[in-house]
Amino acid sequence: MYIYLTSGTADYMEKVRAQHANESIFIMHGEGNTILLEENDKKKSSFAVPRKYEVLDAVGDLQQKGYFVMNNIPVTDEGRPVFEHRFLNRAGAIEQEPGFIAFRLLRPLDSDTYIVLTQWAGPASFEAWQSSQAFKKAHSERPATSPTQNIFSGKSYVTKYSAPVDEG
């Protein structure tokens, strides 16, 4: 499965989404921009110039509602196997959290930045997860890397988006 992302103004993204009404495309509004996310099993996107990702792990179905959190993590070429191994062997505690909707681990096809995408019922659900013991445990059990093995090529950053509920 693949995920494709594109971004722009809210009005323009609404028009692009309307042009592809038969596709599985979600619209999300963030601080200063709007993105479209297309999930499909084709190696081709409906978008003209998308950011492309392969889905390595998926839990739940993405929905046009709620709150999306993207942890953007730049990883070196040499670090990819280590990073992927860590995430593919995660405890899976997030799935039990109230308000959790979906999870995707996305491998970049045209950059070095992986995305850990989670979808929540709302910001309060995500914040409750961040304050939970399960979160603390999941983020404290990171295996140490050796001083010569830095798997990250840059600093990670988080982007957050709200999804308007489709009417109809």
Side-chain angles (χ1 to χ4, degrees), residues 51-127:
R51 294 187 309 272
K52 305 170 190 173
Y53 299 88
E54 181 179 2
V55 177
L56 297 181
D57 191 12
V59 176
D61 294 323
L62 296 176
Q63 301 173 29
Q64 184 59 56
K65 67 177 187 178
Y67 190 66
F68 289 80
V69 179
M70 297 183 188
N71 192 356
N72 301 268
I73 307 170
V75 178
T76 65
D77 286 343
E78 300 80 19
R80 284 177 173 238
V82 174
F83 179 83
E84 290 177 12
H85 176 77
R86 286 182 190 174
F87 265 93
L88 293 173
N89 290 290
R90 64 189 179 80
I94 194 171
E95 289 93 325
Q96 310 310 314
E97 289 297 311
F100 170 83
I101 296 173
F103 168 89
R104 298 291 184 272
L105 175 60
L106 307 179
R107 175 194 288 151
L109 298 179
D110 52 11
S111 77
D112 69 346
T113 303
Y114 283 75
I115 295 177
V116 179
L117 168 69
T118 54
Q119 184 181 12
W120 301 89
S125 299
F126 172 69
E127 290 162 8

Side-chain angles (χ1 to χ4, degrees), residues 141-155:
E141 294 181 353
R142 296 180 187 171
T145 55
S146 70
T148 59
Q149 183 192 26
N150 184 7
I151 67 170
F152 304 107
S153 59
K155 187 168 174 42

